[in-house]
Amino acid sequence: MRLFDTKPRGVPFATGADVPLTLRAQGSFFIGGRDIRSDALSAVPAYAPSGTVVVDQVYVRFAVPAAVGGPPLVLVHGCCLSGQAWETTPDGRPGWDEMFLRAGFPVYAVDQAWRGRSGAGIAPAANGDGPLPTVFSAGREDAWTVFRIGPRFPEPYPDTLFPVDAVGELWKSMVPDFFYALPTPNPTVPALSALARRLGGAVLVSHSQAGLYPFQAAEAARDGIAALVALEPAALPDPAGDLSAFRDLPVLIVYGDHVAASPRWAPRLALARAFVAAANAAGGRAELMSLPERGIRGNSHMLMQDRNSDVVAELVAAWIGRERPHGAGGAAGRPIGGA
Amino acid sequence: MRLFDTKPRGVPFATGADVPLTLRAQGSFFIGGRDIRSDALSAVPAYAPSGTVVVDQVYVRFAVPAAVGGPPLVLVHGCCLSGQAWETTPDGRPGWDEMFLRAGFPVYAVDQAWRGRSGAGIAPAANGDGPLPTVFSAGREDAWTVFRIGPRFPEPYPDTLFPVDAVGELWKSMVPDFFYALPTPNPTVPALSALARRLGGAVLVSHSQAGLYPFQAAEAARDGIAALVALEPAALPDPAGDLSAFRDLPVLIVYGDHVAASPRWAPRLALARAFVAAANAAGGRAELMSLPERGIRGNSHMLMQDRNSDVVAELVAAWIGRERPHGAGGAAGRPIGGA
């Protein structure tokens, strides 16, 4: 399989503003979910207090290029963000969703359960039915260092590739995060499993907080999972544990720059290295890609929004092409929709 | 201006699953927003309690067809929903976003402020900083009659055009609604004004709860507003008030079926008739389109998801074509993005 057979000649990976984007299908649907009943859905007269709502469902926005040239990608955003993180970058360049679409990959971007367009089950508790679920927002002063834009707010790293002038758009993209209110595995995990089964050979691409989810999905069942790509995962399976679930599964972990100076991220990169070694010792096909070790300096935690997001996307796409993940292929990109 | 010059020959308005969709641009951005500072953003150790977040911003997802043949449409969803309401229908047909795109209209679908991907300012209050903002969820038993799918849950009207077999997908699309926590005008209103100014001649299309917003935007300033289309607005400007803001402004209000039997909607339809009469007496160009009076029976409140959503879309598009709204035109569909 050559992934880029369908790429228009002479068009760089990231570009396309002047080249039309031709889709076979696009739209959205939901996956997963469970019903809950409450007598505290509403305290306003216009809506009844008692009734049934669904929670834990996962919103999926998808697009399938007219000429499919790669396996379907499932994009799972990280902390405090929604699937918007993969769309237009803060400074207005095409997001990874469009970049991969233009390269021939069907793209399925989710909102984690209880996030964004995947409705949160907040109303019952807010109206007196049970304790309020834990929710937090990341302040920009905190996110600045968590996302490794710079050593301290508002000072950027001199070589940062994050589009700092447009960082206000990143702050606007942040949403309340109910991560700590949800069970383990996060309801997003079974939804990813179900989505992969429906797609029949998907590459699960995660970022940060969501990093562990695709691994948990693969541990539950490998059906429909062709490969895993984890951008700076916040957590990974225990390298000392049973890693037989990952035998022969292509796994790519990507890390950006300025990690050693980060008390938050340095141990996570060390964990990633240990996981890769242990997974491969157990028959895995795991690879750690440190961008600075390849001579690419200045990437923040927001690899898909940095000014070289096209370069990182191309590296990931090339890895998928090299790995030719078992079970994946152009034919796997079936457009799906409805319930 | 002929709106449909660019429509592929022989392709019905709603169809397209087998015809590629070609876009000049697509993506997302945010508009509006204000900073708030709090010492209660987080109660979890991994994120700092103190910091600054932005609220009231509005998420805008857009797509511009390769061949623009109409003015840009701004789609504003109603109660308990997100911009997803305009995407794929519950039973998997193209949503109005895709239908209008295929007909040549640039489409900009928002999430109301504090809804979906437009982050809500819930975390500070949830962590002890001030009273909890009013939030509700609509239970399906309530929504069934509010949306006029049937006279009582779970009984549908015998002639309903809502895709009842797929109603579970509608329930999954519902999100917590902070409408009653927000000031008047809703922060979505100035965002609509700013978006219309940037687009330079937009048709603001609202549904239900959002019905009043475009009218409030037009009252604030007509800049960039070419026309208003209100699908079953829950509120409208007072017909006894000063309606000079709507002089020469094309306004279309659309209502579906089974309204007379609804204590919620019958008075609103009466208000709509009174508004149209009063607006026209004040020099307006307003029209009320009752689908049953045109012989189209069985529409629910969810006109854009009913099985004849293509027919309703075509009626709206034809009205836009007839009205040739002042200031609107194909050239107005400038792709925009970034901050």
Side-chain angles (χ1 to χ4, degrees):
Chain A
M1 178 178 65
R2 280 285 305 278
L3 288 172
F4 297 109
D5 286 352
T6 58
K7 190 163 68 167
R9 300 266 166 226
V11 178
F13 192 78
T15 307
D18 51 355
V19 178
L21 174 65
T22 305
L23 305 177
R24 181 192 299 175
Q26 65 90 44
S28 62
F29 58 94
F30 293 86
I31 200 158
R34 66 183 168 88
D35 287 347
I36 59 168
R37 208 196 170 284
S38 173
D39 294 319
L41 295 177
S42 165
V44 298
Y47 292 89
S50 298
T52 308
V53 294
V54 58
V55 296
D56 294 357
Q57 73 276 24
V58 166
Y59 169 75
V60 185
R61 170 136 193 130
F62 73 95
V64 179
V68 172
L73 304 188
V74 176
L75 305 179
V76 194
H77 64 84
C79 157
C80 323
L81 299 168
S82 73
Q84 187 281 333
W86 309 100
E87 297 177 353
T88 309
T89 66
D91 55 340
R93 289 169 292 118
W96 270 29
D97 64 338
E98 183 170 331
M99 286 189 198
F100 279 96
L101 272 174
R102 288 182 179 276
F105 295 86
V107 171
Y108 298 75
V110 310
D111 283 359
Q112 287 192 35
W114 289 57
R115 199 83 61 84
R117 291 176 168 183
S118 303
I122 177 75
N127 294 309
D129 185 3
L132 212 60
T134 302
V135 60
F136 71 98
S137 283
R140 67 190 57 167
E141 298 86 349
D142 197 21
W144 186 269
T145 50
V146 171
F147 292 175
R148 301 200 318 282
I149 298 172
R152 65 198 65 83
F153 181 82
E155 179 191 338
Y157 288 115
D159 66 349
T160 188
L161 290 172
F162 188 84
V164 173
D165 290 348
V167 71
E169 206 60 7
L170 173 62
W171 307 146
K172 292 185 184 184
S173 76
M174 300 184 84
V175 296
D177 190 318
F178 289 89
F179 175 81
Y180 293 95
L182 298 176
T184 300
N186 186 290
T188 307
V189 174
L192 292 178
S193 293
L195 181 57
R197 280 197 300 275
R198 282 169 66 170
L199 294 171
V203 179
L204 306 183
V205 182
S206 64
H207 181 228
S208 194
Q209 178 193 68
L212 185 57
Y213 300 169
F215 293 87
Q216 291 172 316
E219 284 175 325
R222 287 272 290 274
D223 305 357
I225 299 177
L228 309 183
V229 175
L231 305 181
E232 301 212 348
L236 285 168
D238 183 354
D242 176 10
L243 300 181
S244 60
F246 308 105
R247 195 184 309 275
D248 291 328
L249 182 68
V251 172
L252 176 66
I253 301 174
V254 185
Y255 255 88
D257 204 353
H258 302 294
V259 173
S262 167
R264 182 184 292 254
W265 291 106
R268 292 173 175 175
L269 174 54
L271 172 67
R273 293 189 195 279
F275 172 81
V276 165
N280 287 338
R285 289 166 59 185
E287 176 179 341
L288 187 121
M289 183 187 290
S290 161
L291 296 176
E293 289 173 10
R294 293 182 170 238
I296 302 172
R297 310 304 305 237
N299 274 107
S300 77
H301 180 56
M302 301 301 291
L303 301 169
M304 78 296 285
Q305 298 185 343
D306 286 338
R307 293 202 308 274
N308 66 340
S309 56
D310 54 337
V311 173
V312 183
E314 183 84 61
L315 286 170
V316 169
W319 176 85
I320 295 172
R322 282 197 306 276
E323 289 292 328
R324 304 181 184 217
H326 180 71
R334 297 196 301 272
I336 61 176
Chain B
M1 178 176 67
R2 280 284 305 276
L3 288 171
F4 297 109
D5 286 352
T6 58
K7 192 163 67 166
R9 300 266 168 227
V11 178
F13 192 77
T15 307
D18 51 355
V19 178
L21 174 65
T22 304
L23 304 177
R24 180 193 300 175
Q26 65 90 46
S28 61
F29 58 94
F30 292 87
I31 200 158
R34 65 184 169 88
D35 288 347
I36 59 168
R37 209 196 168 284
S38 173
D39 295 318
L41 295 177
S42 164
V44 298
Y47 291 89
S50 297
T52 309
V53 294
V54 58
V55 296
D56 294 356
Q57 73 276 24
V58 166
Y59 169 75
V60 185
R61 171 137 192 127
F62 73 94
V64 179
V68 172
L73 304 188
V74 176
L75 306 178
V76 195
H77 64 83
C79 157
C80 324
L81 299 167
S82 74
Q84 188 280 334
W86 308 99
E87 297 177 352
T88 310
T89 65
D91 55 340
R93 289 169 292 117
W96 269 29
D97 63 338
E98 183 170 332
M99 286 188 197
F100 279 96
L101 272 174
R102 289 183 179 275
F105 295 86
V107 171
Y108 298 76
V110 310
D111 284 358
Q112 287 193 34
W114 290 56
R115 199 83 61 83
R117 290 176 168 182
S118 302
I122 177 75
N127 294 308
D129 186 3
L132 212 60
T134 302
V135 60
F136 71 97
S137 283
R140 68 190 58 168
E141 299 85 350
D142 197 21
W144 187 268
T145 49
V146 171
F147 291 174
R148 301 200 319 281
I149 298 172
R152 66 199 65 82
F153 181 82
E155 178 191 339
Y157 289 114
D159 66 350
T160 187
L161 289 172
F162 188 84
V164 173
D165 290 347
V167 71
E169 203 66 2
L170 174 62
W171 307 147
K172 292 185 184 184
S173 76
M174 301 184 84
V175 296
D177 190 318
F178 289 88
F179 175 82
Y180 293 95
L182 298 177
T184 299
N186 187 290
T188 307
V189 174
L192 291 178
S193 293
L195 181 56
R197 279 196 301 273
R198 282 170 65 169
L199 294 172
V203 179
L204 305 184
V205 181
S206 64
H207 181 228
S208 193
Q209 178 193 68
L212 184 58
Y213 300 170
F215 293 87
Q216 291 173 315
E219 284 175 325
R222 287 272 290 272
D223 303 357
I225 299 177
L228 309 184
V229 176
L231 305 181
E232 301 211 347
L236 285 169
D238 183 355
D242 175 11
L243 300 182
S244 59
F246 307 106
R247 194 184 310 275
D248 291 326
L249 182 67
V251 172
L252 176 66
I253 301 174
V254 185
Y255 255 88
D257 204 353
H258 302 294
V259 173
S262 167
R264 181 183 293 255
W265 291 105
R268 292 173 175 176
L269 174 54
L271 172 67
R273 294 189 195 279
F275 172 80
V276 165
N280 287 339
R285 289 166 60 185
E287 176 179 341
L288 187 120
M289 183 186 290
S290 161
L291 296 176
E293 289 172 10
R294 292 182 170 238
I296 302 171
R297 310 304 305 236
N299 274 107
S300 78
H301 180 57
M302 300 301 291
L303 300 169
M304 77 297 285
Q305 298 184 344
D306 286 338
R307 293 202 308 275
N308 66 340
S309 56
D310 55 337
V311 173
V312 183
E314 184 83 62
L315 286 169
V316 169
W319 176 85
I320 295 172
R322 281 197 307 276
E323 288 293 327
R324 303 180 186 216
H326 179 71
R334 297 196 302 271
I336 62 175

